[in-house]
Amino acid sequence: MKIIFMGPPGSGKGTYASRLGAKLGIPHISTGDLFREHVKNGTAIGKKVDAIMKSGKLVPDSIVLEVVRERISRPDCAKGYILDGFPRTIEQAKALDKVDKINAAVNIIIPDEWVITRMTSRRTCRGCGKIYNTMFLKPKKEGVCDVCGGELYVRADENEEVIKERLQVYKELSKPLIGFYKEKGALREFRTPSIDVPPEEAIGMISKMVRK
Ligand code: AMP
């Protein structure tokens, strides 16, 4: 099963996509994570995308497509995959459509205020990448990862100004994408029921939608 997740930053799509992937036994592929890995490893791609990511702008399609095509051609994607954060532009959706048929495109709908509240309280572990939230998912000890003891930090693209820029970019670009998948009969809309909906509850609702 080939699934894509659409939704603004902070909508929970990373959490949902990763847990749904584990449930269905298919890999969860986040283009944001792939790029952060490139930046961390100092690759040629990482050097090209570092400043773009920090500003909250989008990485050029040619680079994104190169990274995604390589990832979905690996053997672990033979039975399917969940893409999170891709496609973000209509050009990316059309390019993906040429390579693979998507079974379900989940669109997560959530108010801007909930996104801003959630994201400004998000903390990421420098060591293992685990994500916490100072409001909903606190670490046992403030500023320290429960899993590896690493330092928790605020990602450079998670301050209010950058979040607003990312929400704006997302809105402008997602409209045609939603239309694209609606036309193909693949669109599934998930309306977030509350700011602190437990992930398991949301995933239960989403997994019913994608099987339809
Ligand atoms: P994310 O973790 O999905 O919010 O992605 C973080 C950043 O990576 C974005 O703000 C973009 O700069 C870049 N990025 C990730 N996926 C894409 C994509 N499909 N197209 C363009 N840029 C992307």
Side-chain angles (χ1 to χ4, degrees), residues 13 31-32 35-36 52-53 56-59 64 85-86 88 92 155 157 166:
K13 70 178 157 50
T31 43
F35 288 133
R36 277 185 286 278
I52 302 174
M53 289 177 75
K57 298 241 169 9
L58 287 186
V59 169
V64 187
F86 176 94
R88 270 201 179 58
Q92 291 178 8
R155 254 168 53 185
D157 58 356
R166 290 168 72 194

Side-chain angles (χ1 to χ4, degrees), residues 10-12 110 114-122 133 136 195:
S11 60
I110 180 167
W114 293 3
V115 164
I116 292 166
T117 304
R118 278 184 182 183
M119 289 190 73
T120 48
S121 53
R122 195 143 98 166
N133 188 294
F136 315 117
I195 187 171

Side-chain angles (χ1 to χ4, degrees), residues 6-57:
M6 294 182 288
S11 60
K13 70 178 157 50
T15 309
Y16 302 161
S18 130
R19 296 207 199 170
L20 186 64
K23 202 167 162 172
L24 300 176
I26 51 178
H28 158 232
I29 302 167
S30 147
T31 43
D33 284 352
L34 293 177
F35 288 133
R36 277 185 286 278
E37 195 63 27
H38 275 284
V39 171
K40 196 171 151 193
N41 295 335
T43 66
I45 288 177
K47 288 192 180 109
K48 279 188 212 161
V49 304
D50 193 15
I52 302 174
M53 289 177 75
K54 283 198 179 110
S55 73
K57 298 241 169 9

Side-chain angles (χ1 to χ4, degrees), residues 86-121:
F86 176 94
R88 270 201 179 58
T89 65
I90 196 78
E91 287 73 25
Q92 291 178 8
K94 285 182 181 162
L96 176 65
D97 192 50
K98 285 194 186 127
V99 193
D100 256 337
K101 186 188 171 308
I102 293 302
N103 307 101
V106 180
N107 181 32
I108 303 174
I109 300 166
I110 180 167
D112 284 2
E113 309 82 74
W114 293 3
V115 164
I116 292 166
T117 304
R118 278 184 182 183
M119 289 190 73
T120 48
S121 53

Side-chain angles (χ1 to χ4, degrees), residues 107-160:
N107 181 32
I108 303 174
I109 300 166
I110 180 167
D112 284 2
E113 309 82 74
W114 293 3
V115 164
I116 292 166
T117 304
R118 278 184 182 183
M119 289 190 73
T120 48
S121 53
R122 195 143 98 166
R123 301 290 180 272
T124 306
C125 174
R126 244 184 239 292
C128 67
K130 188 175 162 62
I131 293 169
Y132 295 85
N133 188 294
T134 58
M135 294 175 77
F136 315 117
L137 189 65
K138 291 182 187 173
K140 288 192 187 103
K141 190 176 167 204
E142 201 188 315
V144 180
C145 178
D146 293 347
V147 179
C148 74
E151 180 203 357
L152 304 184
Y153 76 109
V154 180
R155 254 168 53 185
D157 58 356
E158 283 175 354
N159 66 64
E160 189 161 340

